[in-house]
Amino acid sequence: MMRLIVAVDSTLGMATDSGIPWTLPAEQQYFTSQIAEGLILMGFNTYDEVTEPLHDRTNYVATRRDVQLRSGFIAVRDALVFAQEHSGETIQNIGGAGLFSATLHAADELIITRVDGDFNCTKFFPPFEDEFTLAAESDAQHENGIAFTFQTWHPRRG
């Protein structure tokens, strides 16, 4: 099972060139709880942003770059093949944009924090609402003057 986990603004923006443009401790705590179990998969740019493996376990990095990764990270050449090889496990796909675009059609679940507002992002989550249906949504949360909700989406397969 592959889960894509992301926070997006009203334009599906995820980040600017300098990182995530909002500070929402409750959202960060939610993200951390969502990836507490399973295999963690990330793209190379996301790998560049983290300093150590998340949750003190091996993290997988989807990359075709021929570079030595830091301790605790293992390179994965093809995220879709990786998903097939680990089909009995939960894969927590934390992006970024390129990895999300490459794996959206293979996702079994989207865990999306919808942040109200346009934060002038330069990195975007791919359009998904035509291929997925909203399964659950939290009540609105408010932090640092920003409203947001937690959503779960399932594919419209079949």
Side-chain angles (χ1 to χ4, degrees), residues 129-141:
E129 292 175 331
D130 289 345
E131 298 174 42
F132 290 81
T133 184
L134 182 63
E137 183 172 27
S138 72
D139 292 333
Q141 312 282 315

Side-chain angles (χ1 to χ4, degrees), residues 96-129:
L99 183 58
F100 285 144
S101 292
T103 58
L104 180 66
H105 69 281
D108 298 296
E109 189 170 66
L110 307 179
I111 304 299
I112 299 179
T113 302
R114 297 298 283 258
V115 180
D116 288 348
D118 181 346
F119 288 79
N120 300 308
C121 292
T122 56
K123 299 171 185 170
F124 295 89
F125 192 76
F128 65 93
E129 292 175 331

Side-chain angles (χ1 to χ4, degrees), residues 26 138-143 146-150:
S138 72
D139 292 333
Q141 312 282 315
H142 295 86
E143 222 172 29
I146 301 170
F148 57 98
T149 59
F150 302 118

Side-chain angles (χ1 to χ4, degrees), residues 2-5 31 35 39-64 69-79 82 91-100 103:
M2 184 181 296
R3 301 169 79 221
L4 277 58
I5 304 165
F31 170 81
I35 65 167
L39 304 175
I40 297 173
L41 176 66
M42 66 188 73
F44 192 83
N45 291 338
T46 302
Y47 160 79
D48 267 348
E49 294 174 8
V50 299
T51 56
E52 57 190 35
L54 301 172
H55 286 290
D56 296 323
R57 64 179 188 265
T58 300
N59 290 192
Y60 298 88
V61 181
T63 183
R64 289 191 167 85
L69 300 178
R70 297 185 304 273
S71 177
F73 296 92
I74 296 176
V76 170
R77 289 280 184 213
D78 187 313
F82 177 79
I91 299 169
Q92 312 291 9
N93 179 341
I94 63 170
L99 183 58
F100 285 144
T103 58

